[in-house]
Amino acid sequence: MIKKTIFYFILIVSAIVFTYPFLWMFLASISPDKAIGNLVLLPSQVTLDNYRQMIAKIPIWRALLNSVIVSGLITTGVLVFGSMIGYALARLEFKGRNLIFYLIIFTMTIPFQITLIPQYILMVKLNWTDTYYALIVPYLINALGIIMFRQYFLSLPQSLIDAARIDGCGELRIIFRIIWPNSVPVILTVAILTFMTSWNEVLWPLIVIRKESLMTLPQLVTLFVVGGRAESQLGVKLASSVFLATPIVIAYAFFQKYFINSMVSTGQKE
Amino acid sequence: MRKGKLTPYLLVSPYIVHFLVFVVFPVAFSILLTFFKWDIISEMKFSGFANYRRLFADRLFWKALVNTLYFLSIHIPLELVVSLFLAEILNQKLKFQGLFRALFFLPVIVSGVAVTILWQQLYGYNAGLLNKFLMYIGLGKVGWLIDTKMAMPSIAIMATWKNVGLYIILFLVGLQTVPKQYYEAAELEGASHWQKFFKITLPLINPTIIMVVILSTIGGFSLFIEPYIMTGGGPLNSTLSALLYIYKQGFFYYHMGYASALGIFFALLIMAVVIIQRKYIEKRT
């Protein structure tokens, strides 16, 4: 009994350690700057001033739209291409299939530190810097996504595919009309993983985008905080940070299980 | 079926194109670039091994390497202890297990930018919450981000806080694979909780431990946005990370050749370390 109480105590203290800072950040973002220093739990005064100033200072709505477009298109691409390639690897026989499978595994082990500089040069030579192309095209294919689709498709019954073939379905129809409705868990897992990763990506946008109207949310917030335009206004900085974190936290509240599964699968690839 | 001979190739062709353009070309071009001096705008100038010679003589390069190793030497032990400890408690068949898991996982999904901005405030010297707390319980202030000895450990603590939720889940998965009979047999022999943990649990979840170590090693070499926002690599380059240095050389000074050499060096180092860590698993299991 005592043991259990101690366990619960440890768990509750840990839960506070992992979540309270976020609560503090939110409360600080709705407090006047003067009050943030003394803020512990309840704000003495509530104001939306920090958010008003943030909207006036930086094109945050535009950045939100950019992030939605970029992450949305990347996710669509990864799902469409990933399931096509994963299907071919799992369900079709052709020469070179194993070779391609091992290539995909191999590319996952290449650290991105080696491709960062030449990929930037490629963007410069294609005239893609300061365009959506640079933010989207390199991410449309994702090795881990392909592997996850392949793995899942291997477990589907062959009769499903045979029946569709007898009805005269082409392979694309089979993938998107027959396989997809039977693969909702893997689609959700890959979609969430891809969307979250591209939503939070900041290094690549910092490299290829200089034009403010094309910046994604994390990039705009980073440059706002680092570049001195937030001056020393703590509340405005924290407001922009809350604005950046909120969409993913809301999504997490609904799809918690899939978030955890998708992150676990990235862990296990190693 | 016959007419469909080409279909598989059509289906995988996007991968082939992507592989050639975004993997083969960059890797090959990166190797080539290390033998040139180039700022993207002017002509490429062949410079032989100059970039490699420069690398070994560059104090900042060594600093970035040592900083990264310093980061890992704090981050890895800390997160192993914290995540194993909490996973072990969560594995005790308690109520609300799912809720606690979900709460511990929250920092994992939140953008690193948001987490860094938040912790920059928590670490503030005068007004930061952490120092206020230390003062409140009667201890002195800590120069979290302004002391050259503390800045990297501070970033390592933050990174641990952000990632530990994921490692807790990975360990939970690992712990659940340990057969219950082992514990029952040990209990019959009168083994204590600690003995069971060190003699049964630890050896059996060794693969998970190595997996976590590999993931955080890769993470350590990819440390970028945290020092970029919090310290800019300072004070006195004490938080200059490997990736931040590549970034500075490449996109601040436009030393494309030299930045490529740095990229290749760190990439090879990561691969070597990961291979050694993998070999270690095979030997132990």
Side-chain angles (χ1 to χ4, degrees):
Chain A
M1 200 52 216
I2 293 172
K3 212 163 133 191
K4 272 210 163 156
T5 317
I6 295 173
F7 284 160
Y8 278 117
F9 178 74
I10 294 171
L11 289 178
I12 290 168
V13 170
S14 310
I16 293 171
V17 168
F18 287 113
T19 51
Y20 168 69
F22 290 121
L23 180 68
W24 180 85
M25 175 163 77
F26 172 70
L27 295 174
S29 77
I30 53 169
S31 299
D33 260 13
K34 281 178 299 194
I36 294 178
N38 296 316
L39 175 73
V40 176
L41 207 57
L42 283 176
S44 52
Q45 203 186 329
V46 171
T47 168
L48 286 178
D49 213 38
N50 293 323
Y51 287 91
R52 248 178 252 127
Q53 287 202 40
M54 169 188 80
I55 290 168
K57 281 189 173 179
I58 46 172
I60 196 113
W61 292 109
R62 178 61 207 240
L64 177 70
L65 178 71
N66 289 338
S67 272
V68 170
I69 292 173
V70 169
S71 302
L73 286 177
I74 290 175
T75 308
T76 313
V78 167
L79 290 181
V80 169
F81 292 127
S83 54
M84 277 162 53
I85 300 160
Y87 173 78
L89 291 175
R91 290 305 193 157
L92 302 176
E93 301 221 357
F94 59 98
K95 250 197 200 134
R97 186 175 74 167
N98 285 338
L99 176 72
I100 290 174
F101 178 65
Y102 288 119
L103 269 185
I104 294 172
I105 301 278
F106 174 67
T107 51
M108 289 205 299
T109 66
I110 301 176
F112 70 92
Q113 282 82 347
I114 198 171
T115 51
L116 196 62
I117 301 282
Q119 281 197 3
Y120 167 70
I121 294 168
L122 189 65
M123 296 299 124
V124 172
K125 294 298 163 194
L126 288 170
N127 263 326
W128 278 5
T129 51
D130 276 329
T131 66
Y132 281 129
Y133 294 116
L135 291 173
I136 296 167
V137 177
Y139 291 97
L140 285 177
I141 305 262
N142 178 298
L144 180 64
I146 297 172
I147 300 295
M148 284 164 75
F149 275 119
R150 174 185 171 272
Q151 213 69 355
Y152 193 87
F153 293 163
L154 279 173
S155 69
L156 294 175
Q158 182 62 33
S159 55
L160 201 70
I161 298 164
D162 288 341
R165 286 227 176 94
I166 290 166
D167 289 343
C169 284
E171 300 297 336
L172 279 180
R173 241 185 115 91
I174 293 180
I175 296 170
F176 295 112
R177 287 288 174 78
I178 312 292
I179 304 277
W180 266 35
N182 286 292
S183 309
V184 176
V186 70
I187 292 174
L188 266 176
T189 305
V190 174
I192 283 173
L193 180 65
T194 312
F195 194 88
M196 182 179 67
T197 319
S198 47
W199 185 273
N200 292 341
E201 172 64 41
V202 65
L203 171 60
W204 185 244
L206 278 174
I207 291 172
V208 294
I209 301 294
R210 299 279 148 98
K211 220 192 263 166
E212 200 172 60
S213 61
L214 283 170
M215 287 181 182
T216 61
L217 206 45
Q219 182 189 10
L220 185 71
V221 170
T222 299
L223 292 177
F224 176 56
V225 170
V226 173
R229 253 190 311 169
E231 285 144 30
S232 50
Q233 291 171 298
L234 193 47
V236 186
K237 281 188 193 180
L238 293 170
S240 68
S241 180
V242 170
F243 193 90
L244 164 65
T246 305
I248 294 287
V249 173
I250 291 175
Y252 177 63
F254 286 101
F255 295 104
Q256 194 219 98
K257 195 179 92 194
Y258 291 100
F259 269 92
I260 295 181
N261 282 349
S262 68
M263 288 301 286
V264 168
S265 53
T266 56
Q268 282 169 343
K269 89 173 197 227
E270 304 302 331
Chain B
M1 270 308 273
R2 304 293 138 242
K3 76 168 174 43
K5 266 244 146 119
L6 261 178
T7 323
Y9 297 102
L10 288 176
L11 289 176
V12 298
S13 60
Y15 175 74
I16 306 290
V17 173
H18 186 269
F19 176 71
L20 292 173
V21 176
F22 292 106
V23 181
V24 175
F25 165 75
V27 171
F29 191 58
S30 191
I31 295 169
L32 185 79
L33 256 179
T34 61
F35 299 103
F36 287 85
K37 212 176 137 110
W38 194 33
D39 61 2
I40 290 206
I41 301 154
S42 45
E43 288 275 294
M44 283 171 83
K45 260 193 250 137
F46 184 75
S47 64
F49 285 95
N51 284 323
Y52 291 99
R53 277 201 300 275
R54 180 176 167 190
L55 192 134
F56 287 103
D58 182 358
R59 256 193 51 246
L60 279 181
F61 155 74
W62 290 108
K63 183 87 184 143
L65 180 60
V66 170
N67 285 344
T68 304
L69 298 177
Y70 185 35
F71 170 88
L72 290 175
S73 72
I74 298 162
H75 179 53
I76 293 178
L78 191 62
E79 76 186 2
L80 281 178
V81 170
V82 174
S83 57
L84 248 174
F85 178 69
L86 288 176
E88 181 65 12
I89 292 181
L90 276 179
N91 201 30
Q92 304 291 320
K93 299 270 161 345
L94 298 172
K95 273 180 205 156
F96 307 114
Q97 199 214 50
L99 175 69
F100 283 118
R101 232 174 30 172
L103 291 177
F104 297 168
F105 202 75
L106 189 64
V108 179
I109 56 126
V110 172
S111 144
V113 172
V115 166
T116 308
I117 294 171
L118 165 60
W119 276 75
Q120 197 179 17
Q121 305 318 320
L122 300 183
Y123 277 147
Y125 188 68
N126 286 318
L129 219 53
L130 279 168
N131 274 353
K132 284 217 158 130
F133 178 71
L134 290 179
M135 299 287 278
Y136 180 75
I137 58 170
L139 296 169
K141 288 180 186 173
V142 173
W144 298 103
L145 295 174
I146 53 177
D147 179 340
T148 51
K149 285 205 188 65
M150 260 326 278
M152 205 46 149
S154 299
I155 291 180
I157 292 170
M158 172 180 74
T160 306
W161 178 85
K162 184 175 189 326
N163 295 328
V164 106
L166 173 62
Y167 301 135
I168 290 173
I169 310 265
L170 293 176
F171 276 123
L172 261 178
V173 174
L175 287 174
Q176 276 152 10
T177 62
V178 179
K180 295 224 168 36
Q181 303 92 287
Y182 289 18
Y183 293 121
E184 285 156 13
E187 270 158 34
L188 288 177
E189 306 270 322
S192 74
H193 198 85
W194 287 109
Q195 278 174 323
K196 279 190 285 181
F197 181 75
F198 282 104
K199 293 277 156 66
I200 301 172
T201 314
L202 221 45
L204 283 170
I205 56 162
N206 196 40
T208 317
I209 295 178
I210 304 292
M211 180 165 81
V212 168
V213 171
I214 290 177
L215 277 175
S216 20
T217 305
I218 295 173
F221 279 100
S222 311
L223 192 69
F224 169 75
I225 199 65
E226 297 83 351
Y228 183 91
I229 290 178
M230 276 185 158
T231 57
L236 293 173
N237 294 314
S238 59
T239 57
L240 182 72
S241 67
L243 189 52
L244 185 58
Y245 192 48
I246 297 176
Y247 177 85
K248 283 193 170 172
Q249 283 295 339
F251 307 108
F252 196 75
Y253 301 116
Y254 288 95
H255 295 155
M256 291 300 157
Y258 186 51
S260 293
L262 286 170
I264 287 181
F265 177 87
F266 283 118
L268 288 177
L269 186 64
I270 297 167
M271 283 158 86
V273 170
V274 169
I275 288 169
I276 292 167
Q277 288 167 338
R278 277 231 174 91
K279 278 268 142 59
Y280 190 73
I281 322 177
E282 281 157 18
K283 239 170 61 188
R284 291 284 294 268
T285 47

